[in-house]
Amino acid sequence: MTQAWLILTGPDGRDIAAPTEAQLAETLADLYAGHTRAADGGPGSAVLRFGYDDGLMYQLEVGAGGTVRYEEWSDRDCEIALAEPRRMSAGPDEALQLWKWLAQRQVARIREQDWLDG
Protein backbone atom coordinates (compact mmCIF):
# COMPACT_ATOMS: atom_id res chain seq x y z
CA MET A 1 0.00 0.00 0.00
CA THR A 2 1.23 3.48 -0.83
CA GLN A 3 2.04 5.60 2.21
CA ALA A 4 1.41 9.35 2.16
CA TRP A 5 3.75 11.71 4.00
CA LEU A 6 3.87 15.41 4.93
CA ILE A 7 7.07 17.25 5.84
CA LEU A 8 7.66 20.87 6.83
CA THR A 9 11.20 22.14 6.31
CA GLY A 10 11.78 25.31 8.27
CA PRO A 11 14.14 28.17 7.45
CA ASP A 12 16.79 26.53 9.61
CA GLY A 13 16.69 23.40 7.43
CA ARG A 14 15.14 21.16 10.08
CA ASP A 15 12.31 18.86 9.05
CA ILE A 16 9.09 18.28 10.96
CA ALA A 17 7.22 15.16 9.88
CA ALA A 18 3.42 15.42 9.94
CA PRO A 19 3.36 19.00 11.30
CA THR A 20 0.31 20.19 13.18
CA GLU A 21 -1.70 23.21 12.09
CA ALA A 22 -0.19 25.07 15.05
CA GLN A 23 3.34 24.28 13.84
CA LEU A 24 2.44 25.51 10.34
CA ALA A 25 0.99 28.74 11.75
CA GLU A 26 4.00 29.30 14.04
CA THR A 27 6.45 28.81 11.19
CA LEU A 28 4.59 31.30 9.00
CA ALA A 29 4.25 33.82 11.84
CA ASP A 30 8.03 33.70 12.38
CA LEU A 31 8.68 34.04 8.64
CA TYR A 32 6.39 37.02 8.14
CA ALA A 33 7.71 38.72 11.29
CA GLY A 34 11.26 38.37 9.98
CA HIS A 35 12.39 36.32 12.98
CA THR A 36 13.90 33.55 10.87
CA ARG A 37 16.83 33.63 8.50
CA ALA A 38 18.25 31.09 6.07
CA ALA A 39 21.47 29.29 6.98
CA ASP A 40 23.40 31.78 4.80
CA GLY A 41 21.92 34.73 6.71
CA GLY A 42 19.57 35.75 3.88
CA PRO A 43 15.80 35.96 4.05
CA GLY A 44 14.24 32.76 5.29
CA SER A 45 11.74 30.49 3.62
CA ALA A 46 9.90 27.33 4.59
CA VAL A 47 8.65 24.47 2.44
CA LEU A 48 5.72 22.14 3.02
CA ARG A 49 5.93 18.92 1.00
CA PHE A 50 3.23 16.31 0.56
CA GLY A 51 3.68 13.09 -1.37
CA TYR A 52 3.55 9.35 -1.60
CA ASP A 53 6.35 6.84 -1.05
CA ASP A 54 6.13 5.54 -4.60
CA GLY A 55 4.96 8.58 -6.53
CA LEU A 56 3.84 12.16 -6.72
CA MET A 57 5.14 15.02 -4.60
CA TYR A 58 3.72 18.52 -4.21
CA GLN A 59 5.48 21.39 -2.50
CA LEU A 60 4.61 24.92 -1.40
CA GLU A 61 7.47 27.22 -0.45
CA VAL A 62 6.73 30.46 1.38
CA GLY A 63 9.38 33.17 1.58
CA ALA A 64 9.77 35.85 4.23
CA GLY A 65 8.43 38.49 1.87
CA GLY A 66 5.25 36.53 1.15
CA THR A 67 6.38 34.99 -2.12
CA VAL A 68 4.77 31.57 -2.61
CA ARG A 69 6.03 28.97 -5.07
CA TYR A 70 4.03 25.82 -5.84
CA GLU A 71 5.54 22.81 -7.64
CA GLU A 72 4.37 19.34 -8.68
CA TRP A 73 6.84 16.49 -9.19
CA SER A 74 6.76 12.88 -10.35
CA ASP A 75 8.50 11.80 -7.12
CA ARG A 76 10.27 13.08 -4.03
CA ASP A 77 13.60 13.15 -5.88
CA CYS A 78 12.23 15.90 -8.17
CA GLU A 79 13.13 13.93 -11.29
CA ILE A 80 10.29 15.10 -13.56
CA ALA A 81 8.35 18.34 -13.14
CA LEU A 82 4.67 17.72 -13.86
CA ALA A 83 3.91 21.41 -14.43
CA GLU A 84 5.67 24.74 -14.55
CA PRO A 85 6.20 26.20 -11.07
CA ARG A 86 3.46 28.64 -10.06
CA ARG A 87 4.03 31.82 -8.06
CA MET A 88 2.00 34.37 -6.13
CA SER A 89 2.34 36.87 -3.34
CA ALA A 90 0.38 36.01 -0.24
CA GLY A 91 -0.24 37.29 3.24
CA PRO A 92 0.15 35.02 6.26
CA ASP A 93 -3.50 33.94 6.37
CA GLU A 94 -3.55 33.08 2.67
CA ALA A 95 -0.25 31.19 2.95
CA LEU A 96 -1.59 29.22 5.91
CA GLN A 97 -4.71 28.33 3.94
CA LEU A 98 -2.56 27.02 1.07
CA TRP A 99 -0.50 24.92 3.47
CA LYS A 100 -3.65 23.58 5.14
CA TRP A 101 -5.04 22.55 1.76
CA LEU A 102 -1.80 20.76 0.93
CA ALA A 103 -1.85 18.98 4.30
CA GLN A 104 -5.43 17.91 3.56
CA ARG A 105 -4.43 16.65 0.08
CA GLN A 106 -6.62 19.24 -1.63
CA VAL A 107 -4.28 19.85 -4.55
CA ALA A 108 -7.12 20.85 -6.89
CA ARG A 109 -7.98 23.81 -4.62
CA ILE A 110 -4.36 24.96 -4.75
CA ARG A 111 -4.28 24.72 -8.54
CA GLU A 112 -7.46 26.85 -8.76
CA GLN A 113 -5.86 29.88 -7.09
CA ASP A 114 -4.87 33.08 -8.95
CA TRP A 115 -1.27 32.25 -9.79
CA LEU A 116 0.91 34.74 -11.63
CA ASP A 117 1.92 34.03 -15.22
CA GLY A 118 5.50 32.90 -15.83
Side-chain angles (χ1 to χ4, degrees):
M1 178 187 243
T2 299
Q3 293 293 317
W5 48 267
L6 183 70
I7 298 173
L8 173 63
T9 303
D12 59 3
R14 286 187 276 169
D15 290 337
I16 300 172
T20 65
E21 186 174 328
Q23 289 171 312
L24 297 176
E26 180 181 351
T27 298
L28 288 173
D30 287 346
L31 268 177
Y32 280 89
H35 296 154
T36 57
R37 308 297 285 171
D40 64 4
S45 69
V47 181
L48 184 66
R49 293 178 182 86
F50 161 70
Y52 300 94
D53 286 341
D54 64 351
L56 303 173
M57 180 183 76
Y58 307 92
Q59 69 179 35
L60 271 164
E61 179 178 12
V62 179
T67 301
V68 176
R69 179 181 169 108
Y70 172 66
E71 300 176 13
E72 299 182 19
W73 295 93
S74 62
D75 59 29
R76 74 186 317 165
D77 294 327
C78 302
E79 291 182 8
I80 300 171
L82 301 178
E84 289 293 319
R86 299 170 187 161
R87 301 180 201 303
M88 72 165 58
S89 292
D93 292 338
E94 189 176 13
L96 180 59
Q97 182 61 67
L98 290 167
W99 273 4
K100 286 170 35 177
W101 284 334
L102 188 61
Q104 296 164 357
R105 305 176 189 182
Q106 295 184 17
V107 174
R109 294 191 81 173
I110 295 168
R111 289 179 185 142
E112 293 170 352
Q113 300 309 298
D114 292 328
W115 298 97
L116 301 174
D117 293 332

